[in-house]
Amino acid sequence: MLAWSTHQLTEYFTAVNAAGDETSAIANAVERAAEMVDAEVGAVVREGGVHGAYGFGRVVPEVGVLEVAAGQPRLIVPNVGDLHAVANPLGDQAGEALVVARLAEPFAPEERQMLLGMAQVLGLALRSIRVLAAERHLRAEKERQATSAQTRQRLVETLLTIQRGISARRPLPEILDAVTGGAADLLGGATVTLLLAEGGPERRLTIASTSGGGVTPPEGLARAAMAGGAALVRVDARGQMIAAPVRVTGEMAGCLVALLCGVTDESTERRDQLAAFAQQVSLALTDARTVEAVREAHHDPVTGLPNRALFLTILNRVLASRATAEDPTSVLFVDLDRFKAVNDSLGHEAGDQLLALVARRLRGCVRASDTIARLGGDEFAALLHDSPVETATLIGERIVAAIKEPFRVAGREIFIGASVGVAVSREATLKPEELLHNADVAMYRAKKDGPGRVLAYQPYMHAEALDHLSLRGDLQRALREGEFRLQYQPLIRLADGEPVGAEALIRWHSPARGFVSPVDFIPIAEEFGLIVDIGQWVLETSAVQVARWRRDFPDLGLNVNVSGHQLVHPRFADNVMKALAIAGLPSSAVTLELTESVLMSEPDLGKAALHQLRGLGVQLSIDDFGTGYSSLAYLRELPVDELKIDRAFIARAELTGEDLALVRTIVELAQILGLRVVAEGIENAAQLAALRRLGCGYGQGYHLCRPTDPAEVPAKLVRTSIAVPG
């Protein structure tokens, strides 16, 4: 935004004009211009060559830079990429330009305008420096040298004063008067007028003038300068006239016109001086136009709530205005559960509708004097005045209950949840960012305990949060550097002991942490969006491995666990087919396992995703059956092929009558629905015998075969088929 750029432009003007030689001026200008617009590279094209190259490394693509100066909008830089480029003329000399280029995005009109101003100032500075250098060698021009230096110093001082006024957001008429007055003074008492086009170049409005209305500005010259986009000089009976166009956000908006009595031989220098003042008008008008945008930038456009910046400003004001440090001010950090699944599956428009509805409910949970803000994504915050931790916790619970109720979005009912962290100010020196961070830490701790929790911040949580972030970084490195490996546990047909499949189980031995259980790192991978990439690696790797084993065990299938984040990912079905195509594995040989909780968290989304996968020919299994909702009505609607009985019903030293009754019920239910049944956690012969008697078709467990490394699996499959039937 121009609120910050004007400060940087002030520093830029000072640095460039303070340079003692052309090389320093160019180097300062290029580096500061590139930094100001986040550009990777920059340079100045002058006299047919490239100068002050910045960011290119050892090799500068001079031909490409010269092409940009000639109008080419792209620049290919070795080891950097194909960049968006823009050339900003230093003056009227053809081919002389300040060139900057970046990867991120094309340059906005405001950026182009600022770069143009910087280029003009650089061109002016370079010409002044060259004049000064020449004058050092020409004693006959000592007097002219002194005059030029004084003029340049006056120009710099005047421009700096105007820049400070823009930065301080002085009234626009005051700034424009400073422009016309400063230009008139520098040009030796010339009459300077600002003309602004209103509805087109034929209509104009005189905004500011040093003539008092007694001199009519040359409108024809002004229109010609606006049409050509460059400053013009003309001489007639009235004297020398100069017109410099004014742009606002890249569009021609008017002209700054100067009328000088008599004719001088310094027309080029005076033309450049007036163009520099015209650029100040452009910046001032653009800044005024964006004031309303600055106000709007402090509110979230989707929900209408204050954004993070405004929330922190309000929080800072509240903390600073407390009568004593003990006056309680509470902050709630609210994170939505399962929002990403809705956004990915139904689209961003539905996601925005849901966020707006959430914002409305949050407002209803607090007082009118409290503040609700959207921090970004699916994160919200609440500022509660005069609220101790007990009151803030109750409001957090009220928010959780409100968000738990169904939302009507895109013609369907959507169920989400919320986790809430609470932080209360305890010391006078506590900064707003620290208080919000503490609430954020408490929210993560609450989410770790399970969705729909409210938890108040305690100091020990900070260390946990640091470890949490550290684990995230370790996971990213583990995926990048290949630290994950797979083990496989066979699925055994209990009737004859034959292995019919192998379940892929991910393992992670971290160089820093040692063995890390999937129970610990999978939730972190899901939380930070890494699970999709990790899951795809598991699928592709295991598919290749099982396809290799099927040469000796043709009927061997593959079971792979699927996260809810993978299931609702818009390209998950494509990713599955990609993995199978790479491995050469038929889709009928693959069973994807999902937990009940995943399927029930978003019933409609889950069901649609399952039908899409079923259409590919893969098998589908409900893992840990019996521990979640176990809704018979819902189960009948799911296109699944298999139920896996949770180990909680099996893995006892001796199965109780209640255990056997529950297992029998699940087996009979599966038989009615035509589904396979797999019992997990078979640890001894008694359990195996009981499950056979109950008619359970398949099983897994340490008694049958432990998870094992890929190299040992073929031998295990052979031994298992011989040993189990007994």
Side-chain angles (χ1 to χ4, degrees):
M1 303 283 307
L2 289 179
W4 57 259
S5 67
T6 49
H7 290 290
Q8 290 180 294
L9 280 173
T10 299
E11 297 177 0
Y12 171 87
F13 295 152
T14 303
V16 172
N17 284 281
D21 55 75
E22 294 180 353
T23 301
S24 299
I26 291 173
N28 286 337
V30 172
E31 181 174 355
R32 290 174 182 268
E35 290 177 349
M36 185 171 180
V37 295
D38 293 328
E40 277 75 16
V41 299
V44 165
V45 173
R46 195 164 184 240
E47 299 175 344
V50 177
H51 306 272
Y54 169 79
F56 291 97
R58 295 183 177 179
V59 180
V60 179
E62 293 192 6
V63 174
V65 175
L66 293 173
E67 289 176 349
V68 172
Q72 172 61 245
R74 309 287 296 190
L75 176 63
I76 297 177
V77 178
N79 301 321
V80 178
D82 187 1
L83 312 182
H84 301 281
V86 62
N88 308 277
L90 303 183
D92 289 343
Q93 189 65 36
E96 294 195 352
L98 169 64
V99 174
V100 292
R102 68 184 181 194
L103 275 170
E105 58 187 3
F107 293 91
E110 295 89 344
E111 294 174 312
R112 289 174 176 268
Q113 183 169 300
M114 282 185 267
L115 289 169
L116 178 61
M118 297 168 78
Q120 290 177 346
V121 169
L122 174 60
L124 177 63
L126 292 176
R127 282 186 289 273
S128 298
I129 291 172
R130 181 163 290 187
V131 168
L132 291 175
E135 288 174 345
R136 292 190 188 100
H137 298 88
L138 299 174
R139 294 183 179 181
E141 297 184 1
K142 284 184 178 180
E143 182 177 353
R144 185 175 182 276
Q145 175 185 355
T147 302
S148 178
Q150 291 173 0
T151 301
R152 183 162 67 97
Q153 184 63 31
R154 287 170 56 201
L155 173 63
V156 171
E157 292 174 353
T158 304
L159 293 179
L160 284 174
T161 300
I162 295 170
Q163 279 294 314
R164 293 188 186 104
I166 296 174
S167 299
R169 296 198 180 278
R170 303 295 300 169
L172 182 61
E174 180 180 323
I175 294 174
L176 298 182
D177 285 341
V179 170
T180 56
D185 181 61
L186 195 72
L187 296 176
T191 299
V192 179
T193 304
L194 173 62
L195 304 176
L196 289 185
E198 186 179 284
E202 297 302 323
R203 299 182 60 189
R204 49 86 179 156
L205 174 66
T206 302
I207 289 290
S209 176
T210 58
S211 67
V215 179
T216 302
E219 295 183 22
L221 182 62
R223 285 194 291 270
M226 292 171 62
L232 298 177
V233 180
R234 183 177 298 171
V235 178
D236 65 10
R238 290 183 294 177
Q240 191 175 63
M241 296 174 291
I242 308 174
V246 171
R247 295 175 175 83
V248 177
T249 61
E251 298 179 1
M252 202 61 65
C255 199
L256 193 63
V257 181
L259 178 60
L260 294 81
C261 295
V263 179
T264 72
D265 57 357
E266 300 174 350
S267 59
T268 299
E269 182 176 355
R270 295 196 171 193
R271 180 199 62 197
D272 293 343
Q273 291 169 352
L274 189 68
F277 281 101
Q279 186 61 31
Q280 303 308 302
V281 176
S282 297
L283 292 175
L285 293 175
T286 303
D287 187 68
R289 179 177 289 188
T290 57
V291 167
E292 183 61 29
V294 170
R295 294 193 188 99
E296 293 177 356
H298 284 87
H299 286 80
D300 171 49
V302 174
T303 63
L305 296 176
N307 62 12
R308 177 186 288 268
L310 182 56
F311 181 81
L312 289 173
T313 299
I314 296 171
L315 179 56
N316 184 60
R317 185 169 64 245
V318 170
L319 293 176
S321 64
R322 292 181 300 172
T324 66
E326 287 72 30
D327 289 346
T329 298
S330 297
V331 168
L332 306 184
F333 198 108
V334 182
D335 183 82
L336 303 182
D337 299 323
R338 300 186 297 277
F339 171 78
K340 189 175 186 301
V342 177
N343 207 44
D344 289 345
S345 300
L346 300 184
H348 292 296
E349 183 176 350
D352 287 349
Q353 292 177 19
L354 180 56
L355 290 172
L357 294 173
V358 168
R360 188 181 305 169
R361 290 193 189 177
L362 291 177
R363 288 194 193 99
C365 293
V366 301
R367 299 166 298 185
S369 60
D370 298 325
T371 301
I372 296 290
R374 183 187 175 201
L375 303 179
D378 59 355
E379 296 176 338
F380 295 81
L383 167 59
L384 310 179
H385 302 271
D386 302 322
S387 296
V389 65
E390 296 81 8
T391 302
T393 301
L394 288 175
I395 293 176
E397 292 172 351
R398 186 187 307 167
I399 288 174
V400 169
I403 302 302
K404 188 182 296 183
E405 294 297 317
F407 292 86
R408 191 71 181 174
V409 176
R412 65 181 71 193
E413 280 194 339
I414 299 298
F415 292 86
I416 61 173
S419 300
V420 179
V422 179
V424 181
S425 60
R426 291 187 174 90
E427 52 191 59
T429 59
L430 192 65
K431 296 180 180 179
E433 294 85 355
E434 293 174 327
L435 188 57
L436 182 62
H437 175 71
N438 290 347
D440 187 6
V441 169
M443 182 278 298
Y444 274 113
R445 187 65 178 81
K447 187 180 284 287
K448 186 176 180 181
D449 290 345
R453 304 295 180 93
V454 180
L455 201 59
Y457 173 78
Q458 296 294 334
Y460 76 87
M461 296 177 183
H462 183 70
E464 286 189 351
L466 290 178
D467 184 66
H468 188 81
L469 291 175
S470 175
L471 182 57
R472 173 192 179 182
D474 289 347
L475 273 174
Q476 291 174 318
R477 188 197 65 250
L479 182 61
R480 183 175 62 251
E481 298 184 5
E483 294 177 7
F484 294 117
R485 63 187 180 89
L486 293 180
Q487 287 189 322
Y488 297 86
Q489 185 173 32
L491 278 76
I492 306 300
R493 187 165 52 226
L494 300 186
D496 56 13
E498 283 296 319
V500 296
E503 180 178 359
L505 303 170
I506 189 169
R507 298 291 184 258
W508 179 30
H509 189 88
S510 167
R513 300 172 180 270
F515 177 76
V516 184
S517 170
V519 174
D520 295 324
F521 73 78
I522 291 297
I524 305 298
E526 291 180 331
E527 177 183 343
F528 289 108
L530 301 173
I531 192 64
V532 173
D533 290 336
I534 293 175
Q536 186 66 17
W537 175 84
V538 171
L539 185 59
E540 292 181 2
T541 304
S542 59
V544 169
Q545 182 65 77
V546 170
R548 188 178 300 125
W549 289 332
R550 281 170 62 91
R551 299 168 188 167
D552 298 319
F553 305 92
D555 297 327
L556 189 69
L558 168 64
N559 280 46
V560 179
N561 291 282
V562 174
S563 162
H565 294 270
Q566 292 176 268
L567 180 65
V568 298
H569 191 278
R571 294 192 58 80
F572 181 56
D574 293 337
N575 290 340
V576 170
M577 293 308 296
K578 172 187 172 185
L580 299 185
I582 292 173
L585 189 66
S587 57
S588 59
V590 177
T591 300
L592 303 180
E593 299 185 9
L594 303 106
T595 63
E596 286 182 273
S597 58
V598 165
L599 297 175
M600 290 302 294
S601 62
E602 290 295 341
D604 292 339
L605 300 179
K607 197 187 313 180
L610 290 182
H611 279 289
Q612 185 180 19
L613 291 170
R614 188 66 178 278
L616 302 178
V618 299
Q619 304 283 297
L620 301 171
S621 173
I622 299 181
D623 197 9
D624 301 334
F625 187 78
T627 61
Y629 300 89
S630 302
S631 167
L632 178 59
Y634 183 64
L635 184 61
R636 292 180 61 186
E637 299 177 4
L638 293 176
V640 298
D641 307 278
E642 178 181 281
L643 299 181
K644 297 190 77 173
I645 305 174
D646 186 73
R647 65 178 57 249
F649 302 114
I650 308 297
R652 299 178 189 267
E654 294 184 9
L655 294 177
T656 66
E658 183 179 351
D659 292 333
L660 293 172
L662 286 171
V663 173
R664 179 183 293 109
T665 300
I666 295 174
V667 170
E668 291 176 352
L669 172 64
Q671 290 173 346
I672 292 172
L673 297 176
L675 305 178
R676 298 189 302 271
V677 180
V678 180
E680 298 183 293
I682 301 176
E683 309 295 339
N684 56 50
Q687 295 167 354
L688 175 60
L691 289 167
R692 280 175 169 166
R693 288 195 302 271
L694 293 174
C696 181
Y698 304 88
Q700 283 180 288
Y702 282 11
H703 180 67
L704 302 175
C705 187
R706 291 174 175 267
T708 188
D709 293 332
E712 302 175 8
V713 168
K716 292 280 187 180
L717 294 176
V718 172
R719 286 199 296 270
T720 300
S721 66
I722 297 173
V724 172

